[in-house]
Amino acid sequence: MRLLLSNDDGYLAPGLAALHRALQPLGEITVIAPEQNCSGASNSLTLWRPLSVYTGANGFHFLNGTPTDCVHVALTGMLEYKPDLVVSGINNGQNMGDDTLYSGTVAAATEGFLFGVPSIAFSLVHKNWAHLDDAARVAADIVGHFARRPLPGHTLLNVNIPNLPYEALGEWRVTRLGKRHPSQPVIRQTNPRGEPIYWIGASGEAFDASEGTDFHAVAHGCVSITPLQLDLTHTQMLPTLREWVHGRGSAH
Amino acid sequence: MRLLLSNDDGYLAPGLAALHRALQPLGEITVIAPEQNCSGASNSLTLWRPLSVYTGANGFHFLNGTPTDCVHVALTGMLEYKPDLVVSGINNGQNMGDDTLYSGTVAAATEGFLFGVPSIAFSLVHKNWAHLDDAARVAADIVGHFARRPLPGHTLLNVNIPNLPYEALGEWRVTRLGKRHPSQPVIRQTNPRGEPIYWIGASGEAFDASEGTDFHAVAHGCVSITPLQLDLTHTQMLPTLREWVHGRGSAH
Amino acid sequence: MRLLLSNDDGYLAPGLAALHRALQPLGEITVIAPEQNCSGASNSLTLWRPLSVYTGANGFHFLNGTPTDCVHVALTGMLEYKPDLVVSGINNGQNMGDDTLYSGTVAAATEGFLFGVPSIAFSLVHKNWAHLDDAARVAADIVGHFARRPLPGHTLLNVNIPNLPYEALGEWRVTRLGKRHPSQPVIRQTNPRGEPIYWIGASGEAFDASEGTDFHAVAHGCVSITPLQLDLTHTQMLPTLREWVHGRGSAH
Amino acid sequence: MRLLLSNDDGYLAPGLAALHRALQPLGEITVIAPEQNCSGASNSLTLWRPLSVYTGANGFHFLNGTPTDCVHVALTGMLEYKPDLVVSGINNGQNMGDDTLYSGTVAAATEGFLFGVPSIAFSLVHKNWAHLDDAARVAADIVGHFARRPLPGHTLLNVNIPNLPYEALGEWRVTRLGKRHPSQPVIRQTNPRGEPIYWIGASGEAFDASEGTDFHAVAHGCVSITPLQLDLTHTQMLPTLREWVHGRGSAH
């Protein structure tokens, strides 16, 4: 199996190194990750300047751009083959519920998926890297299972792993994305010139963490696996919206 | 009605100015847009540094960050009220199908929606600004209709407008997102030091532009209005994935 | 006379607009300035990525780089002729003493000088743009005098203008650079994640503001004109250093 | 002796690692270098946003800013003592003649000097890192000699070392800065959207490489040591300029 690894914490992040170590027995691995931490990068693409690929002292390739740039460049310009799987992570912190829209980790996997490559994003729930190697072992279990038994259709999985010892982890739970309350307000400070500056605040607390959600699974010590799709159409709203348009009376 | 305007082409873009002019009769408007062109920014948030808000010679506020940053800062730190509508655009170029994942224009509207504010993103299909004022007139029609007859539930609309004279435009069509083929490959050049550099290539051609899609509507001269939602869960895949997990045999 | 104008406050800065208006009667003007404020840019050159030139709504060219990049690109790639003079400014704030090492305004002029073009940097002492048009009139006087009576040899002038009404300004004083005390310490704040962040502090107070210096001239309401050269060799120290090397005893 | 080390190639550069290894026997060392390659950064200071200091896996501190930022933050906010020497380098490529104006390596040393700390910049003439450890040994020789026999007055030295085996290196030569021809023109390419883009070209060839210059020394296999000062006043031009101003006739 040929694997393409990326992340959004940067090519020097412990989560990427742990993932690389754990997956090494499973196939041939190429790593291409951002030069710098890109947390919050979402699916952003660098359109206004060219990108360069370098090789770090750890043997990983890195690119002066975003996670999406990394996978995009690898799949369409750098690799001479189509990999069997894109693996992204292990992220320093959860990507659940609406986080998936902002996450560079999920975005790297998304990019693989859009190019027709099965893709999995892995995140470690809490930000202290506690039990990182246990999470990497889970990642290897999931990738190994995928290798032996591929999923039908296009695959895009979002996996969140609690910071627990391997033996203490619960089952793999297939989940839907929960919902969060809106984010905390920006934090306002004053810079030394007396001008206001704003820091983006923390994510909101879980609003829908009911049974079946990713929030619920990890709160119960389980590995959450959510299948993702990328069609944002609000299908149920189509009839209402048609009526609304119709209500405009005469066509404009 | 109180409107918050943003975009992803930057606070000096013609599309924003045209939108502002067209919407001015409809309410009280605050503009906050990125300092620089952020095309391709997606939902990226600036987490590693603070953001500053300035006021340009055109009276618009601008912020040294992304479209998402703009709406986030406005709604949680700058405005003292909750606006009635977030309007984003008019973008220089279409945002249809999978583009919605990468679009900073759509992302600005998404951010409003996540904070509970109805939000609409407007894009002009071709990139030459032809018939921009006609498109702005359409935007005003849609916003005006929304003002008179709000939609039930949370509203997030993605509107694409063909570059046509107002009178030549077809009806408003409620559409689903189409699909694109994968993007064109990166374009490889060599920099003057002899090193390869990569430019992100063009979007893919439409793959699903069948009747009912945004691609189909604008190809027929109509204004495409797509209702969006943000839950990426692949609901139909949940059973298959549960079976796959089960097939692993013993719990991990 | 053909003039090339640049600055470090960005192509939208009031100081550049005022300078442009004042110099317009004196010749044919091309403007190329940074897209964004580059205060503190010094002579930095953008080596890792290519530069693009755009034209703003005000007719000025702008470039996504530093003041030095602007003049460098104009002189070696954009203009089809060698201008008669590079003029930089009018800067929002003084560039005196050691400031000249950090100043992007002076750097733009320096770049012209290194390509064999006479160059003048203009700065307005205080940062509130008070009496900007008066300062622009002084700039036009100096440039006009230069046009009628060029200086022998290579010319690089650093001009600082007090914020005073034109009639209240004292004579043009030819000065040497004064000296400052070291800068104020960095200002330490804590970001919302509890981590220390540092802001570069203010410049130091004048240490040598004795008669003959730029500091002294502007403190007395005069226009300070300092001729600059770029050889950093500490000539007087050469003998001492030779002795020191010799004192090492045996050759390396 | 307490040493502060920095560079402009970034905290992961081989030149910094080699310098650190070579100087370790000579005293207590703190390293703070830029997160990314800052070649061409000159004395640029980051004024518009705060700076953060991190610690890398190699134990070096790094900062998301320029070489000048690094030394500025270390001396005024991070270190609790004043170091005995600031050492910058070993740069990947020469910094001779006019290069000193653009060099981030020299700028890091300059910043130390302006805060009253003796400072030395080291550069390896050719860019392939050949004989880096030999150069580091020379750096240790010079720093060791300085430790045993400090120079009188303020010290700012610019050292360029040929890529030669230690035994093949010639003597330490005290030099003045040579001069270069103007830089090569920008290299113009066309981006995939058909727009021109510009790359800053190579430095000019030596114009004054006569005996006594840094160019001459390294061309003869010697270690070039140039004492620097930072007063850009063109003292010899003061009388001419006074006459020019006088020639204007009536006061301003």
Side-chain angles (χ1 to χ4, degrees), chain C residues 33-36 38 44 46 49 51-52 62-70:
Chain C
E35 184 172 8
Q36 293 189 285
C38 289
S44 62
T46 303
R49 62 169 172 88
L51 301 161
S52 296
F62 62 92
L63 177 149
N64 52 0
T66 69
T68 298
D69 291 334
C70 288

mmCIF file of all heavy atoms in Angstrom, chain C residues 33-36 38 44 46 49 51-52 62-70:
data_model
loop_
_atom_site.group_PDB
_atom_site.id
_atom_site.type_symbol
_atom_site.label_atom_id
_atom_site.label_comp_id
_atom_site.label_asym_id
_atom_site.label_seq_id
_atom_site.Cartn_x
_atom_site.Cartn_y
_atom_site.Cartn_z
ATOM 1 N N ALA C 33 4.787 51.590 -5.388
ATOM 2 C CA ALA C 33 4.925 51.543 -3.930
ATOM 3 C C ALA C 33 4.398 50.215 -3.425
ATOM 4 O O ALA C 33 3.709 49.489 -4.149
ATOM 5 C CB ALA C 33 4.151 52.703 -3.318
ATOM 6 N N PRO C 34 4.716 49.878 -2.176
ATOM 7 C CA PRO C 34 4.265 48.583 -1.654
ATOM 8 C C PRO C 34 2.746 48.530 -1.507
ATOM 9 O O PRO C 34 2.098 49.536 -1.233
ATOM 10 C CB PRO C 34 4.922 48.515 -0.272
ATOM 11 C CG PRO C 34 6.058 49.490 -0.317
ATOM 12 C CD PRO C 34 5.591 50.582 -1.230
ATOM 13 N N GLU C 35 2.205 47.323 -1.653
ATOM 14 C CA GLU C 35 0.769 47.130 -1.467
ATOM 15 C C GLU C 35 0.366 47.459 -0.035
ATOM 16 O O GLU C 35 -0.703 48.010 0.200
ATOM 17 C CB GLU C 35 0.415 45.671 -1.779
ATOM 18 C CG GLU C 35 -1.074 45.401 -1.702
ATOM 19 C CD GLU C 35 -1.439 44.007 -2.195
ATOM 20 O OE1 GLU C 35 -0.521 43.203 -2.455
ATOM 21 O OE2 GLU C 35 -2.644 43.724 -2.325
ATOM 22 N N GLN C 36 1.236 47.110 0.914
ATOM 23 C CA GLN C 36 0.894 47.302 2.317
ATOM 24 C C GLN C 36 1.942 48.150 3.017
ATOM 25 O O GLN C 36 3.073 48.268 2.563
ATOM 26 C CB GLN C 36 0.841 45.949 3.011
ATOM 27 C CG GLN C 36 -0.284 45.090 2.519
ATOM 28 C CD GLN C 36 -0.444 43.864 3.364
ATOM 29 O OE1 GLN C 36 0.354 42.930 3.251
ATOM 30 N NE2 GLN C 36 -1.442 43.852 4.222
ATOM 31 N N CYS C 38 4.896 49.045 5.029
ATOM 32 C CA CYS C 38 6.149 48.312 5.249
ATOM 33 C C CYS C 38 7.068 49.048 6.214
ATOM 34 O O CYS C 38 8.292 48.946 6.080
ATOM 35 C CB CYS C 38 6.891 48.111 3.933
ATOM 36 S SG CYS C 38 6.131 46.955 2.812
ATOM 37 N N SER C 44 15.107 45.376 3.101
ATOM 38 C CA SER C 44 14.807 43.969 2.833
ATOM 39 C C SER C 44 14.321 43.760 1.407
ATOM 40 O O SER C 44 13.560 44.529 0.853
ATOM 41 C CB SER C 44 13.810 43.399 3.837
ATOM 42 O OG SER C 44 12.590 44.065 3.766
ATOM 43 N N THR C 46 12.783 40.726 -1.281
ATOM 44 C CA THR C 46 12.027 39.482 -1.303
ATOM 45 C C THR C 46 12.688 38.516 -2.274
ATOM 46 O O THR C 46 12.566 38.673 -3.489
ATOM 47 C CB THR C 46 10.575 39.774 -1.708
ATOM 48 O OG1 THR C 46 10.042 40.725 -0.790
ATOM 49 C CG2 THR C 46 9.737 38.514 -1.694
ATOM 50 N N ARG C 49 10.187 34.444 -3.328
ATOM 51 C CA ARG C 49 9.005 34.301 -4.167
ATOM 52 C C ARG C 49 9.035 35.409 -5.213
ATOM 53 O O ARG C 49 9.716 36.418 -5.040
ATOM 54 C CB ARG C 49 7.714 34.383 -3.353
ATOM 55 C CG ARG C 49 7.524 35.711 -2.639
ATOM 56 C CD ARG C 49 6.110 35.856 -2.073
ATOM 57 N NE ARG C 49 6.012 37.033 -1.239
ATOM 58 C CZ ARG C 49 5.704 38.249 -1.680
ATOM 59 N NH1 ARG C 49 5.470 38.459 -2.964
ATOM 60 N NH2 ARG C 49 5.649 39.277 -0.855
ATOM 61 N N LEU C 51 7.486 38.565 -7.509
ATOM 62 C CA LEU C 51 6.746 39.785 -7.200
ATOM 63 C C LEU C 51 5.807 40.107 -8.353
ATOM 64 O O LEU C 51 6.133 39.870 -9.516
ATOM 65 C CB LEU C 51 7.738 40.930 -6.996
ATOM 66 C CG LEU C 51 8.739 40.669 -5.865
ATOM 67 C CD1 LEU C 51 9.955 41.573 -6.001
ATOM 68 C CD2 LEU C 51 8.084 40.846 -4.515
ATOM 69 N N SER C 52 4.661 40.668 -8.026
ATOM 70 C CA SER C 52 3.699 41.075 -9.049
ATOM 71 C C SER C 52 3.428 42.562 -8.928
ATOM 72 O O SER C 52 3.402 43.104 -7.835
ATOM 73 C CB SER C 52 2.377 40.316 -8.883
ATOM 74 O OG SER C 52 2.568 38.938 -9.087
ATOM 75 N N PHE C 62 1.367 49.302 -7.698
ATOM 76 C CA PHE C 62 1.780 48.761 -6.411
ATOM 77 C C PHE C 62 2.276 47.336 -6.590
ATOM 78 O O PHE C 62 1.961 46.680 -7.587
ATOM 79 C CB PHE C 62 0.681 48.869 -5.352
ATOM 80 C CG PHE C 62 -0.576 48.109 -5.638
ATOM 81 C CD1 PHE C 62 -0.745 46.810 -5.189
ATOM 82 C CD2 PHE C 62 -1.617 48.705 -6.328
ATOM 83 C CE1 PHE C 62 -1.923 46.108 -5.425
ATOM 84 C CE2 PHE C 62 -2.803 48.017 -6.583
ATOM 85 C CZ PHE C 62 -2.949 46.719 -6.130
ATOM 86 N N LEU C 63 3.054 46.907 -5.641
ATOM 87 C CA LEU C 63 3.775 45.641 -5.746
ATOM 88 C C LEU C 63 3.647 44.920 -4.410
ATOM 89 O O LEU C 63 3.714 45.558 -3.353
ATOM 90 C CB LEU C 63 5.238 45.984 -6.063
ATOM 91 C CG LEU C 63 6.279 44.901 -6.174
ATOM 92 C CD1 LEU C 63 7.355 45.330 -7.191
ATOM 93 C CD2 LEU C 63 6.960 44.658 -4.836
ATOM 94 N N ASN C 64 3.487 43.610 -4.469
ATOM 95 C CA ASN C 64 3.335 42.829 -3.235
ATOM 96 C C ASN C 64 4.694 42.515 -2.619
ATOM 97 O O ASN C 64 5.086 41.357 -2.509
ATOM 98 C CB ASN C 64 2.526 41.558 -3.510
ATOM 99 C CG ASN C 64 3.068 40.757 -4.670
ATOM 100 O OD1 ASN C 64 4.057 41.134 -5.285
ATOM 101 N ND2 ASN C 64 2.448 39.635 -4.957
ATOM 102 N N GLY C 65 5.400 43.564 -2.206
ATOM 103 C CA GLY C 65 6.718 43.387 -1.622
ATOM 104 C C GLY C 65 7.138 44.629 -0.864
ATOM 105 O O GLY C 65 6.292 45.414 -0.436
ATOM 106 N N THR C 66 8.446 44.807 -0.738
ATOM 107 C CA THR C 66 9.017 45.859 0.094
ATOM 108 C C THR C 66 9.344 47.105 -0.733
ATOM 109 O O THR C 66 9.354 47.062 -1.968
ATOM 110 C CB THR C 66 10.316 45.359 0.739
ATOM 111 O OG1 THR C 66 11.300 45.206 -0.313
ATOM 112 C CG2 THR C 66 10.136 44.027 1.446
ATOM 113 N N PRO C 67 9.665 48.211 -0.061
ATOM 114 C CA PRO C 67 10.098 49.408 -0.789
ATOM 115 C C PRO C 67 11.309 49.139 -1.683
ATOM 116 O O PRO C 67 11.362 49.594 -2.830
ATOM 117 C CB PRO C 67 10.459 50.388 0.339
ATOM 118 C CG PRO C 67 9.622 49.961 1.502
ATOM 119 C CD PRO C 67 9.531 48.470 1.399
ATOM 120 N N THR C 68 12.255 48.377 -1.177
ATOM 121 C CA THR C 68 13.433 48.048 -1.977
ATOM 122 C C THR C 68 13.041 47.235 -3.205
ATOM 123 O O THR C 68 13.522 47.484 -4.316
ATOM 124 C CB THR C 68 14.465 47.285 -1.111
ATOM 125 O OG1 THR C 68 14.869 48.141 -0.035
ATOM 126 C CG2 THR C 68 15.675 46.866 -1.906
ATOM 127 N N ASP C 69 12.143 46.263 -3.009
ATOM 128 C CA ASP C 69 11.629 45.503 -4.154
ATOM 129 C C ASP C 69 11.045 46.440 -5.212
ATOM 130 O O ASP C 69 11.259 46.249 -6.419
ATOM 131 C CB ASP C 69 10.497 44.555 -3.718
ATOM 132 C CG ASP C 69 10.942 43.402 -2.848
ATOM 133 O OD1 ASP C 69 12.102 42.992 -2.934
ATOM 134 O OD2 ASP C 69 10.106 42.903 -2.065
ATOM 135 N N CYS C 70 10.273 47.423 -4.763
ATOM 136 C CA CYS C 70 9.596 48.337 -5.705
ATOM 137 C C CYS C 70 10.596 49.023 -6.626
ATOM 138 O O CYS C 70 10.447 49.018 -7.853
ATOM 139 C CB CYS C 70 8.812 49.400 -4.938
ATOM 140 S SG CYS C 70 7.328 48.772 -4.132
#
